[in-house]
Amino acid sequence: MNNAERVTKEQMVRHRSEPAASPVREGFCVVIIGGGPGGYEAATIATRLGARVTLIEAQGIGGAAVLTDVVPSKTLIATAQWLTQTEQAEELGIRVGSSRPVSDLGKINERVRELASDQSRDIRAGLEESGVRVIDGVGKIAPTLDPDGTREVYVYPSFEAQEASETLRADVVLVATGARPRALPGSEFDGERILNWAQLYHMKERPEHLIVVGSGVTGAELAGAYQVLGTKVTLVSSRDRVLPNADEDAAWLIEDVFERRGMIIKSRSRAQAARRVEGGVEVELASGEVLKGSHVLIAVGSIPSTKGIGLEEAGVRLTERGHIEVDRVSRTSASRVYAAGDCTGVLPLASVAAQQGRIAMWHALGDAVQPLDVSLVGSTIFTLPEVATVGMTEEQAKSDRMNIKIASLPIKRNPRAKMQGIRDGFVKLFAEAETGVITGAVVVCERASEQIFPLTLAVTHRMTVDELSSAFTVYPSISGTLSEVARMLH
């Protein structure tokens, strides 16, 4: 190698970190309202493309995903998961003693809050190092465009403030304000006994009896975690099963695991109200039955945080439920205004919010962009065991419009699962009957969130079952079942 070809490690690192030639004119300004995954990922992309970026966030960088929702809940669930290992101890030949491990919720929640705060600080530091200006405050969009086509964004110190502390000029505005927990009518959260999922992590003592209202993803995840941590749990579901929007086989399996561990599930029961009583709470059902517990968690959905920031006055169209209407490249109905994340109601996942934010900036700043395709999103419900899915559902697979073959295998047949004493779970694949192209998958097992990625790649790139099964898997491994199910569809 001659001197002209020689590149030092320092030069290589510097070259990789330098942004590519920017398609953005000098001085192009992007203002982002909201610092969750949609906001901070958009800020990162816009800065790399050469824009001047200001991000306004009222609650803390990372938004609900980092501070009160995804990171805290998954940290809590990871702690609970450790305790599930004792369920197979006797079978594996391990004596754990006569007493069950006891969880210290105060210490668990202290760690949860510290981890969330650390993650928020790390994200903020990364943004500021890349040149993003971060403002602690509330952003509000001006109702009209200026003559030069830019928009003004007013910055307020808080939601209660009457006067703006600063006015920013933006060539492009991205709204990524997220959503907040929904309450039962007439049952306001008090942060002590009647709780939403953002308030759980300040409890210092484990609830004696937690009533969870709502059996969707959030309700099921937290009900399962608290049960494993040693709390008596009653789960109130208005539908005939938990996780009503999940794969039916997966939902029934999770419900069976819940009940086997001692959870009380009140199916087809709609909660009317929750109220504090001496020493605990009461939850009144539509049937007239009254449930008594020490605490109640309300997990009945969320409300988009779209009020009071000037959206409708600026021409941004909202749905009846208050979500911002966007197209597949994150554009709103207002010129130069984009939106990303839970405030859009597209798909309430941090990964989707982040991708919406990236797509918005790629499109707004003239870079190559591929519109969002939610059918390619791999997602996980972090129950114990986890439920991971991608692509079409079984209901879609069985419709008359497509000729789809389905194959599945229980995890308990997998040699690695046998070694680890794992019995609960399965792998299910959907593929076109004529071509063998993989169109969807469901994985239920421990760490299914890690197993779904190769199947997400398969669906995204239209791999066939033969292509998937011809790739080597480690023996023994849980991923061997993915290949085995693919061979069943040869």
Side-chain angles (χ1 to χ4, degrees):
M1 179 184 294
N2 59 39
N3 289 336
E5 294 172 318
R6 210 173 264 118
V7 179
T8 67
K9 183 177 181 181
E10 181 183 350
Q11 288 171 324
M12 290 175 66
V13 172
R14 186 170 65 247
H15 176 72
R16 286 198 299 267
S17 63
E18 290 173 352
S22 172
V24 180
R25 64 170 169 78
E26 186 177 354
F28 192 95
C29 295
V30 173
V31 174
I32 298 170
I33 304 174
Y40 68 70
E41 284 293 332
T44 301
I45 293 297
T47 302
R48 288 176 182 168
L49 292 176
R52 289 169 49 197
V53 181
T54 301
L55 188 152
I56 309 165
E57 168 57 43
Q59 306 296 331
I61 296 300
V66 170
L67 292 168
T68 60
D69 190 357
V70 182
V71 170
S73 66
K74 277 46 176 183
T75 304
L76 179 80
I77 291 166
T79 304
Q81 184 180 31
W82 187 90
L83 287 171
T84 65
Q85 307 306 313
T86 61
E87 293 177 346
Q88 291 85 29
E90 186 174 341
E91 176 186 344
L92 300 177
I94 299 172
R95 277 202 193 94
V96 294
S98 58
S99 62
R100 189 177 184 275
V102 177
S103 61
D104 184 332
L105 190 64
K107 288 188 176 180
I108 291 171
N109 279 340
E110 183 179 352
R111 176 174 178 264
V112 165
R113 295 193 303 270
E114 286 178 357
L115 194 152
S117 296
D118 287 347
Q119 182 71 0
S120 177
R121 283 193 294 270
D122 287 346
I123 296 170
R124 182 174 188 136
L127 290 172
E128 291 177 338
E129 287 170 7
S130 68
V132 175
R133 182 189 175 200
V134 179
I135 299 177
D136 298 316
V138 178
K140 182 175 180 179
I141 303 173
T144 58
L145 285 171
D146 288 342
D148 62 357
T150 61
R151 271 190 189 275
E152 289 184 340
V153 176
Y154 310 124
V155 181
Y156 292 80
S158 66
F159 288 103
E160 295 78 22
Q162 299 298 312
E163 293 186 6
S165 57
E166 187 176 355
T167 299
L168 305 172
R169 193 171 297 278
D171 293 284
V172 167
V173 178
L174 173 75
V175 180
T177 47
R180 63 188 187 278
R182 184 187 301 276
L184 281 177
S187 305
E188 297 303 317
F189 304 119
D190 62 16
E192 295 177 351
R193 296 283 182 174
I194 302 176
L195 304 152
N196 60 45
W197 62 78
Q199 298 169 331
L200 284 174
Y201 311 106
H202 296 279
M203 287 196 295
K204 296 182 179 179
E205 295 184 359
R206 180 162 42 88
E208 181 182 344
H209 181 188
L210 179 65
I211 301 171
V212 179
V213 177
S215 64
V217 173
T218 300
E221 287 182 347
L222 292 171
Y226 270 89
Q227 180 188 40
V228 171
L229 290 173
T231 290
K232 178 182 178 181
V233 175
T234 298
L235 180 59
V236 179
S237 174
S238 63
R239 310 286 281 276
D240 62 344
R241 57 182 168 87
V242 302
L243 298 173
N245 296 320
D247 176 85
E248 187 172 355
D249 292 334
W252 285 120
L253 186 151
I254 295 300
E255 184 163 319
D256 179 66
V257 171
F258 281 174
E259 291 182 329
R260 202 166 67 226
R261 288 176 176 155
M263 188 182 297
I264 300 168
I265 299 176
K266 307 288 290 186
S267 300
R268 301 185 186 89
S269 301
R270 187 174 296 277
Q272 296 278 72
R275 54 183 172 266
R276 285 188 71 155
V277 295
E278 186 177 351
V281 295
E282 290 182 346
V283 175
E284 184 180 343
L285 305 183
S287 63
E289 182 181 2
V290 176
L291 307 177
K292 297 180 183 292
S294 62
H295 299 73
V296 58
L297 167 66
I298 308 296
V300 291
S302 59
I303 300 171
S305 300
T306 53
K307 296 297 183 184
I309 57 174
L311 294 177
E312 291 176 288
E313 295 85 349
V316 176
R317 192 161 51 243
L318 305 180
T319 68
E320 288 185 5
R321 301 187 67 177
H323 293 103
I324 300 172
E325 291 186 4
V326 291
D327 62 13
R328 291 176 61 203
V329 292
S330 302
R331 287 179 297 192
T332 73
S333 56
S335 176
R336 296 177 181 258
V337 179
Y338 290 73
D342 288 1
C343 63
T344 68
V346 171
L347 202 58
L349 297 172
S351 57
V352 172
Q355 188 67 354
Q356 283 181 292
R358 297 184 198 109
I359 287 172
M361 292 301 101
W362 287 327
H363 184 270
L365 304 183
D367 202 0
V369 62
Q370 184 172 342
L372 181 70
D373 184 351
V374 293
S375 70
L376 303 180
V377 175
S379 64
T380 300
I381 302 168
F382 287 85
T383 44
L384 301 169
E386 297 173 355
V387 178
T389 59
V390 66
M392 69 164 41
T393 64
E394 183 161 354
E395 184 179 1
Q396 292 170 329
K398 290 180 175 178
S399 70
D400 296 333
R401 291 172 294 174
M402 302 183 71
N403 185 13
I404 299 294
K405 294 196 297 183
I406 304 172
S408 66
L409 276 176
I411 285 292
K412 64 183 180 183
R413 295 188 188 178
N414 180 283
R416 180 72 169 176
K418 290 177 182 176
M419 296 170 193
Q420 295 177 320
I422 298 171
R423 292 191 179 86
D424 297 314
F426 61 86
V427 173
K428 184 190 298 185
L429 286 183
F430 312 123
E432 294 177 359
E434 296 175 359
T435 65
V437 169
I438 298 168
T439 56
V442 181
V443 180
V444 182
C445 68
E446 290 187 17
R447 292 183 170 81
S449 51
E450 309 293 344
Q451 298 290 336
I452 200 64
F453 182 59
L455 299 175
T456 300
L457 288 174
V459 173
T460 300
H461 297 289
R462 293 187 57 79
M463 291 175 59
T464 66
V465 290
D466 292 341
E467 288 171 330
L468 179 65
S469 62
S470 66
F472 283 92
T473 58
V474 173
Y475 182 87
S477 69
I478 299 295
S479 58
T481 298
L482 309 185
S483 181
E484 189 174 355
V485 176
R487 283 193 293 275
M488 291 170 64
L489 292 171
H490 170 67

